[in-house]
Amino acid sequence: MMDTAPDTDRGRRGGDIGPAAPSGPERLLERYRAARERRSVWESHWQECYDHALPNGQPFRGGGTPGERRVDRLFDGTAPDAVEQLAASLLAELTPPWSRWFGLQPGPSVPDGERDRVAPMLDRAAGIVQAHVDRSNFAVEIHQAFLDLVTVGTACLLMEEGPPGAASSLRFTAVPLAEAVLEEGADGRLDGTFRRSEATLAQIGRRFPGATVPEEVRKRGAEEPDSRFPLVEAVLPDGLAYRWTVVLDSGLADPTMLAEGRFAQSPFINFRWLKAPGETYGRSPVMKALPDIKTANKVVELVLKNASVAVTGIWQADDDGVLNPATIRLVPGTIIPKAVGSAGLTPLANPGRFDVSQLVLDDLRARIRHALLTDRLGPLDQPRMTATEVVERSAEMARLLGATYGRLQAELLTPLVLRAVGILRRRGEIPDIAVDGRTVALQHRSPLAQAQAQRDVQATLRWLDTARQLGPEALSAVDVAATARWLGEAFGVPAKLVRAEASHG
């Protein structure tokens, strides 16, 4: 049940190095630049999405300044509000904080006689993994990743091993898409990741102790301690494992390899909202609604301009040598002199009416909320709902997010749990298990996963009610124990509470 390759998170601090031969730094940088060139066609589109729906996202035009205002060109707040609501819905439906949203259970290859013995151990292991996730910064960082996912369709979550003695063995970082350059593998997954960042000489020394740094960089760092040098970090598939490489691309000397290592699972978890055929990066609901978002923004801007005209007015006056328009202030109580017999100040009629603008704006805002699922996944106005209404709403939610949930389950949830299990197993905090789907299976227990099973559950319960009404002969066709086990699996009941099927000798 061991992994195919050792996971060397200690290599991120300059420790264990895998045996595979590394590529040269120049060749790695060439591959990075080619991947970044392929990404460049997306950047203007992504920036438009950020400007209109997530203005606080890291911009692609320059690095930006922390704390700067980025809402000066934003007049309508419908899209940013809908993006935050959809990201919060994803957090609550996929990875609710301090709730068990996954479990481990015996796989199909485990004999029935062993399931009762193995199930409690796997449930305890899943509880330990969940506790480390809850004690980490996962909830904060995954919410930021969900904001990027909803806005630009692609998100990147870095999952590292925490330092010894920390409250959690797991540490997460939502990597801005401005820093991440991704490659799609043969299986259609984003398993190749480049990340460009900057660090001072002191930060490089702390993160990569013992690494060889060019003399030119050392000299610049000594003279200017605040100087930051570009680093290109790459995690690329290498057989059944992943090779991790960090290259210092200072521009002052030849590219230098700072560290390298191997991972059983990639520390970068890249996931998409929707994928168009032939494209590497994902597409988002904001992209679909962007024409309406930009139009609503422009309509509000025009309404505000018209309102300012309506408040101050447009005036005309006779040039009679007495009235000086440059000295007039249109405030209450002002006395404006005028020549005898002249018209003085005369208001100019507004040539257009903006009564229709509110109708147009209401329609645009409704379409934006519909595209971002706010009107269907948002909070309910009704304080009480019947059981049927709850089931129907769950079914509607499962239908709307079904395709997206399937992709997130494959690209986010499963890799995340597998890597967490690998880290904690190596540290000896859980037994030596491998979640391979045969001996140990991953069970998704999120609210959305349970909502998808509600329709099957309701159909089964109706069948049981019908069989009960038909009488004892019909009930004899029901395997009560097997039905209870199936319902327990559908409801996400912990495996240790379900007794395995008795073997018949």
Side-chain angles (χ1 to χ4, degrees):
M1 293 187 182
M2 295 296 292
D3 275 353
T4 56
D7 195 328
T8 58
D9 277 88
R10 294 182 298 277
R12 302 187 64 80
R13 298 183 291 275
D16 299 344
I17 296 178
S23 302
E26 294 85 359
R27 183 178 177 183
L28 187 68
L29 290 179
E30 288 178 3
R31 182 171 175 178
Y32 160 71
R33 295 188 183 103
R36 185 168 182 175
E37 181 66 24
R38 293 191 296 270
R39 192 197 74 169
S40 61
V41 297
W42 290 86
E43 293 180 0
S44 60
H45 196 184
W46 288 340
Q47 190 61 56
E48 271 194 321
C49 293
Y50 276 126
D51 289 342
H52 292 88
L54 192 66
N56 293 326
Q58 183 169 329
F60 290 88
R61 297 186 295 263
T65 302
E68 68 176 337
R69 294 182 56 185
R70 300 175 184 172
V71 295
D72 293 339
R73 293 183 297 171
L74 189 64
F75 295 94
D76 183 68
T78 305
D81 179 66
V83 164
E84 290 187 4
Q85 290 194 41
L86 181 52
S89 296
L90 290 176
L91 179 65
E93 298 296 336
L94 293 177
T95 58
W98 300 99
S99 297
R100 182 73 70 88
W101 48 269
F102 68 90
L104 300 176
Q105 62 183 3
S109 64
V110 177
D112 291 337
E114 294 290 321
R115 297 180 72 87
D116 284 347
R117 184 183 63 85
V118 174
M121 179 268 292
L122 293 179
D123 196 64
R124 286 194 299 270
I128 293 173
V129 176
Q130 183 76 60
H132 278 274
V133 172
D134 290 336
R135 293 198 303 267
S136 70
N137 61 337
F138 174 74
V140 176
E141 297 300 322
I142 193 62
H143 180 254
Q144 181 59 50
F146 281 147
L147 288 172
D148 288 337
L149 178 72
V150 173
T151 305
V152 293
T154 307
C156 178
L157 183 68
L158 174 60
M159 183 178 180
E160 299 177 284
E161 181 177 349
S168 173
S169 298
L170 309 176
R171 183 174 58 189
F172 298 87
T173 304
V175 179
L177 200 55
E179 297 180 2
V181 178
L182 310 178
E183 288 184 342
E184 189 176 53
D187 59 355
R189 298 190 180 187
L190 296 176
D191 54 1
T193 307
F194 296 92
R195 183 189 183 189
R196 186 186 185 279
S197 57
E198 295 182 346
T200 63
L201 182 61
Q203 291 171 337
I204 293 174
R206 286 194 299 268
R207 186 180 178 191
F208 310 106
T212 301
V213 179
E215 184 61 31
E216 295 85 350
V217 176
R218 292 185 179 276
K219 184 177 179 180
R220 174 69 63 84
E223 294 174 352
E224 303 175 14
D226 293 334
S227 296
R228 304 180 70 85
F229 304 98
L231 302 177
V232 175
E233 182 176 2
V235 176
L236 302 173
D238 185 13
L240 296 177
Y242 294 85
R243 171 154 291 279
W244 168 69
T245 310
V246 181
V247 175
L248 174 62
D249 186 21
S250 63
L252 303 175
D254 293 336
T256 306
M257 191 87 70
L258 293 181
E260 55 183 343
R262 285 172 64 86
F263 294 97
Q265 297 94 16
S266 174
F268 289 99
I269 302 174
N270 308 310
F271 50 101
R272 297 164 287 193
W273 178 273
L274 173 70
K275 179 182 181 298
E279 295 181 348
T280 298
Y281 296 91
R283 291 188 175 269
S284 68
V286 168
M287 292 180 180
K288 180 176 66 175
L290 191 58
D292 289 333
I293 294 173
K294 294 170 68 175
T295 304
N297 196 64
K298 191 64 178 179
V299 169
V300 174
E301 181 183 0
L302 294 176
V303 168
L304 292 176
K305 288 181 178 180
N306 183 73
S308 66
V309 171
V311 171
T312 59
I314 301 177
W315 304 78
Q316 61 181 356
D318 294 335
D319 187 6
D320 55 6
V322 177
L323 186 65
N324 183 4
T327 61
I328 294 175
R329 296 181 61 203
L330 297 176
V331 296
T334 301
I335 299 177
I336 301 174
K338 75 179 188 68
V340 177
S342 68
L345 282 178
T346 305
L348 197 61
N350 192 340
R353 297 183 59 188
F354 269 70
D355 296 344
V356 71
S357 64
Q358 191 61 40
L359 299 176
V360 173
L361 195 57
D362 290 343
D363 182 58
L364 289 171
R365 287 171 172 170
R367 290 208 299 264
I368 293 171
R369 295 190 183 100
H370 186 78
L372 295 177
L373 307 178
T374 305
D375 56 345
R376 290 170 286 181
L377 298 183
L380 297 173
D381 295 332
Q382 299 88 348
R384 296 181 179 179
M385 295 178 62
T386 65
T388 303
E389 289 173 337
V390 171
V391 171
E392 289 302 321
R393 179 171 172 82
S394 298
E396 175 75 1
M397 179 176 57
R399 184 181 66 83
L400 293 173
L401 293 179
T404 300
Y405 174 66
R407 179 174 298 282
L408 293 179
Q409 181 176 316
E411 295 186 347
L412 169 63
L413 302 181
T414 300
L416 189 150
V417 175
L418 293 182
R419 176 153 170 78
V421 168
I423 291 175
L424 296 177
R425 183 191 62 203
R426 192 180 65 252
R427 295 179 70 142
E429 300 197 33
I430 61 175
D432 187 10
I433 59 177
V435 186
D436 54 7
R438 297 183 300 273
T439 56
V440 179
L442 175 62
Q443 182 185 33
H444 294 280
R445 299 179 183 174
S446 66
L448 185 55
Q450 295 183 16
Q452 288 187 316
Q454 286 297 316
R455 191 172 295 275
D456 292 338
V457 169
Q458 293 299 319
T460 302
L461 294 178
R462 285 196 299 269
W463 171 68
L464 291 175
D465 289 339
T466 303
R468 187 179 298 109
Q469 294 173 9
L470 292 177
E473 292 185 4
L475 281 176
S476 64
V478 179
D479 188 338
V480 179
T483 304
R485 282 191 293 271
W486 183 86
L487 289 174
E489 183 177 349
F491 282 124
V493 175
K496 66 180 179 181
L497 301 181
V498 180
R499 183 177 300 168
E501 183 178 0
S503 59
H504 302 284

